[in-house]
Amino acid sequence: MRRLALVIACLVGMSAPAFGQKAEIEAANAKWIEFFNKGDFAGIASLYTADATAFPPGSAMVHGNTAIGEMWKSAAEKVGDPKLTTLDVKPLGPSAAREIGTFSLKTKGPDPKDVTGKYVVVWEKDGNSWKLATDIWNDGM
Amino acid sequence: MRRLALVIACLVGMSAPAFGQKAEIEAANAKWIEFFNKGDFAGIASLYTADATAFPPGSAMVHGNTAIGEMWKSAAEKVGDPKLTTLDVKPLGPSAAREIGTFSLKTKGPDPKDVTGKYVVVWEKDGNSWKLATDIWNDGM
C-alpha cells in the first residue's frame, strides 16, 4: 500500500503542473509576437532559457538566449508580421512540454512574400515561467 | 520526513531511467540508418511512435509512423548515405528525452551533392524502447 501511495503521489505531482500548459504556452507565444513587433529583442531573449538552442534554416545553430535575441533582431530586418498557431502541446514530465505549431510571416522589401511553415518547440519551466529551450522550424505546411 | 522521503523517491524514480538514454538513442539511430540503407521502411516506421509527427522541409507535416515510413521510402529515391551525429540528449522526465544532432546525406542523380543539416527529435519511451515522437530538421550547420 505504501508503494501504491508513493506511485500515486508521484503521478499526481507530475501531472498537476500540466494543467493549463497549453494556455500558458500560448500566452508566452503572444508575448513573443508582442516583443517582436515592438522590436524588443531583449524581451524575446527573456522568453528563452539561458542555455536554449535555436535552429534557423540555412545557417548554424544559435546557442544561448542572448545570441537568440540577436538572431531575431537580424531576422526582423528581413521579415515581419509573424503569426504563430499552436496545434498541440504535450506535457513531458512536470517541467517540460513539446509544442507543435505553424507560423506565417511576410518578407520585407520591394516584392514582399508570404512565408508559411511549421515548428517544434521544447518548453521548460524556469521558476514560474515556461521558456523556449529548443526552437526549430522549416518551411511548408 | 515522509515528505522528504517522497521527494527523494520521486527524484530517484524520475532520474534513474535517464541513465543510458544517450546510448540507447544512439543505438536507435544506428538502427534507423541500417533500415534506411537496407530499404526497410517498415523497419524505420517501427522506430517511431504510432502517433509520431515528422516535419519535412518544404512540405506538410506527416502524421503516424506508417505514413512516416512511406515518406522516407519516397525520400530514399532522391537521397542516400544518411549519417546522424547526436550532439546532446536531455532527459525530460522519466519517459521522454530531447535529442539535438546534425545529419548529412547525398543527393542521387547525375550531379550528386552533399547536404548537411541539423535536427531536434523528441523521443518517448514506448514499453522498453525509445521511439521518435517528433522528428524535425532543416538545412545548414
Side-chain angles (χ1 to χ4, degrees):
Chain A
M1 266 314 282
R2 284 178 64 194
R3 196 171 177 85
L4 178 63
L6 173 61
V7 168
I8 291 170
C10 286
L11 289 173
V12 169
M14 282 169 54
S15 60
F19 186 76
Q21 272 182 9
K22 183 162 187 268
E24 289 174 17
I25 283 169
E26 286 180 320
N29 281 337
K31 275 195 194 170
W32 194 103
I33 297 289
E34 183 190 331
F35 286 138
F36 190 97
N37 288 336
K38 280 199 297 194
D40 180 355
F41 300 101
I44 290 209
S46 76
L47 299 175
Y48 288 79
T49 61
D51 64 350
T53 308
F55 298 74
S59 54
M61 294 180 205
V62 178
H63 296 290
N65 62 340
T66 305
I68 291 171
E70 292 298 316
M71 175 194 78
W72 288 118
K73 186 177 179 182
S74 297
E77 295 169 11
K78 298 177 197 158
V79 299
D81 198 18
K83 307 219 185 290
L84 300 170
T85 303
T86 300
L87 298 180
D88 188 54
V89 171
K90 182 165 191 176
L92 304 170
S95 56
R98 181 275 294 142
E99 179 196 7
I100 289 174
T102 58
F103 70 87
S104 70
L105 48 81
K106 291 182 199 302
T107 61
K108 293 183 175 176
D111 182 23
K113 287 190 172 61
D114 292 320
V115 177
T116 58
K118 53 204 183 296
Y119 66 85
V120 174
V121 172
V122 175
W123 293 81
E124 292 179 11
K125 196 99 183 202
D126 185 358
N128 287 324
S129 304
W130 284 101
K131 296 195 174 179
L132 297 94
T134 67
D135 186 8
I136 180 168
W137 63 98
N138 60 36
D139 64 325
M141 62 184 265
Chain B
M1 265 315 281
R2 284 178 64 194
R3 195 170 179 83
L4 178 63
L6 173 61
V7 168
I8 291 170
C10 286
L11 289 174
V12 169
M14 281 169 56
S15 60
F19 186 77
Q21 271 182 11
K22 184 163 187 267
E24 289 174 19
I25 283 169
E26 286 181 320
N29 281 337
K31 276 195 192 170
W32 194 104
I33 296 289
E34 183 190 330
F35 286 138
F36 189 97
N37 288 337
K38 280 199 297 194
D40 180 355
F41 300 102
I44 289 206
S46 76
L47 299 176
Y48 288 79
T49 61
D51 64 350
T53 307
F55 298 73
S59 54
M61 293 180 205
V62 178
H63 296 290
N65 63 339
T66 305
I68 291 170
E70 292 299 315
M71 174 194 78
W72 288 119
K73 186 177 178 181
S74 297
E77 295 169 10
K78 297 176 198 157
V79 298
D81 198 19
K83 307 219 184 290
L84 300 170
T85 303
T86 300
L87 297 180
D88 188 55
V89 171
K90 183 166 190 174
L92 304 170
S95 56
R98 181 275 293 142
E99 179 196 6
I100 290 174
T102 58
F103 70 87
S104 69
L105 47 81
K106 291 180 198 303
T107 61
K108 293 183 174 177
D111 181 24
K113 288 191 172 61
D114 292 320
V115 177
T116 57
K118 53 206 182 294
Y119 66 85
V120 174
V121 172
V122 175
W123 293 82
E124 292 179 13
K125 196 99 183 201
D126 185 358
N128 286 323
S129 303
W130 284 101
K131 295 196 174 179
L132 296 92
T134 65
D135 186 8
I136 179 167
W137 62 99
N138 61 33
D139 64 325
M141 60 185 264

